[in-house]
Amino acid sequence: MHDLDPGDCEQLTIVHDRTSGATAAVALHDTRLGPAHGGIRRWPYASLAEAVRDVVALARAMTWKCALADVPAGGGKAVVIDRPGLDRAAAYRLVGRTVAQLGGRFFTGPDVNTSADDLRAVAAETRFVASPDDDGPGDLAAATAIGVAAALAALAERLGRPLDGLHVAVQGLGSVGMELCERLAARGARLTVADLSPERAAAAGARFGAAVVAAEAVTAVPCDVFAPCALGGVLTVPVAAALPALGVCGAANNVLADDDAAHVLHRRGVLVVPDFVANAGALIQGALWNLRGERVPAARIERIGATVRDVFDRAAAAGQPPPLVALAMARERVERGPVGP
Ligand code: NAI
């Protein structure tokens, strides 16, 4: 392995703009099921090697997400190396030119630290981007919340508890978390909420009749389901070993810090919905819009519930943690290739 390892990616492109000094990387992990989809992340990577490691891992995760969401798309991602004084417009135009050169093999959009203005800079160079000014696929955060709610309903069913009265602790009340609370409250769930912003937490408390706890306390709240909707990496081994919940289901990507955390939760009998299955709503809505100009009905996103049941069945049969089983299912689907229209 060398410093700039493309791993199992189909294509890794590193681009540099001499005038502005901006550097970016675009990874297409796998396009056997369809054109790659993935957003643009801007991050102060310490080195090009670190940026490449991240873009490869993120693109790979998108491949698995597409496969289990049953959309004819593959995994891709773009990263921009951030630094003080970066000419952001030039950096995003550079990504736009790279996406244009890929000629439709990669569709991109927002990710961490990419704003509407950044996307406009990309859109100046390519049409293969979710531009804030276009007649786009609709509210993607709402789509994500629809999917998480469907996944959570499948989890509740497996736990043998009705949604009505189910106690859910929601971590993070951003665009997805708030919408999820709305949907759960409408189905009679009892909510405990937390956010780094006390104002957001208080607003959710008032709106949904939810109990409010401090951000650092939410993983210690005894509940039926813990719903992480803030950041990834929350479930480390120590947190997993103590989490007082029967199940986990949320929107945050890579919520398990590592496979050990998955095993710890599994041994404790905590049922985990794989994050990349639960949070695929935005991908489903965005990709089917890009590829077919289709505005998907909520029912299409709610099929995530059936996928969760399938993952749980296979995980129970194999005696393995659901996130690891879901990964194996995704790999198998990609290897099998496209099926039908
Ligand atoms: P957002 O940025 O709108 O909201 C995140 C919220 O989490 C903010 O209110 C923030 O204050 C809060 N937060 C951050 N750290 C926290 C902590 N330690 N404890 C409690 N609260 C904390 O993000 P958004 O769009 O709602 O996404 C939530 C998660 O879902 C992210 O991890 C994102 O990557 C993931 N996701 C989002 C999708 C979307 O469609 N927006 C699609 C798939 C995944």
Side-chain angles (χ1 to χ4, degrees):
M1 184 170 111
H2 50 80
D3 268 0
L4 301 179
D5 188 1
D8 52 349
C9 282
E10 252 172 50
Q11 184 171 341
L12 172 67
T13 309
I14 295 165
V15 283
H16 180 70
D17 177 39
R18 268 193 300 203
T19 313
S20 66
T23 304
V26 175
L28 304 194
H29 175 254
D30 199 302
T31 60
R32 278 176 285 179
L33 295 183
H37 277 68
I40 307 166
R41 179 167 296 195
R42 182 168 49 84
W43 198 255
Y45 297 104
S47 64
L48 180 57
E50 193 183 309
V52 164
R53 269 196 299 279
D54 204 32
V55 79
V56 167
L58 291 165
R60 186 184 292 124
M62 287 303 294
T63 299
W64 311 143
K65 190 185 286 202
C66 291
L68 282 201
D70 229 348
V71 291
K77 204 80 181 186
V79 297
V80 170
I81 300 184
D82 205 4
R83 58 176 165 78
L86 175 75
D87 179 343
R88 264 168 79 169
Y92 280 90
R93 281 200 307 271
L94 173 66
V95 173
R97 288 197 296 279
T98 312
V99 174
Q101 280 162 9
L102 290 167
R105 289 177 62 218
F106 177 46
F107 286 81
T108 196
D111 194 69
V112 175
N113 288 332
T114 292
S115 68
D117 274 347
D118 296 330
L119 291 176
R120 286 188 184 99
V122 179
E125 304 283 350
T126 180
R127 66 190 168 90
F128 301 113
V129 61
S131 162
D133 302 322
D134 287 350
D135 178 29
D139 186 342
L140 294 179
T144 302
I146 291 172
V148 175
L152 210 144
L155 170 64
E157 181 188 293
R158 205 46 67 105
L159 294 173
R161 317 228 156 181
L163 270 180
D164 192 4
L166 191 81
H167 182 193
V168 184
V170 181
Q171 178 190 44
L173 302 162
S175 36
V176 178
M178 225 31 136
E179 187 80 28
L180 178 66
C181 286
E182 171 100 50
R183 289 174 181 276
L184 294 176
R187 306 272 305 263
R190 183 160 68 84
L191 302 175
T192 295
V193 295
D195 197 285
L196 285 181
S197 150
E199 293 78 27
R200 277 183 168 270
R207 194 164 142 202
F208 308 115
V212 177
V213 295
E216 61 280 6
V218 69
T219 52
V221 172
C223 59
D224 295 315
V225 175
F226 171 59
C229 297
L231 304 170
V234 173
L235 294 176
T236 57
V237 165
V239 174
L243 190 77
L246 303 175
V248 174
C249 178
N253 280 309
N254 304 322
V255 74
L256 295 161
D258 48 38
D259 286 356
D260 289 345
H263 286 292
V264 168
L265 289 163
H266 182 62
R267 277 198 295 276
R268 293 186 54 228
V270 179
L271 202 48
V272 177
V273 177
D275 47 23
F276 68 93
V277 175
N279 71 16
L283 168 77
I284 294 169
Q285 188 158 309
L288 294 179
W289 171 257
N290 288 337
L291 298 171
R292 298 176 176 163
E294 208 179 279
R295 282 189 197 280
V296 295
R300 170 63 180 87
I301 297 170
E302 285 164 348
R303 273 167 46 188
I304 285 174
T307 307
V308 170
R309 285 184 211 102
D310 189 14
V311 170
F312 283 164
D313 287 345
R314 291 175 193 236
Q320 288 290 320
L324 305 188
V325 169
L327 204 57
M329 286 167 68
R331 280 181 200 277
E332 198 184 293
R333 281 194 192 177
V334 173
E335 290 301 327
R336 205 169 55 213
V339 278

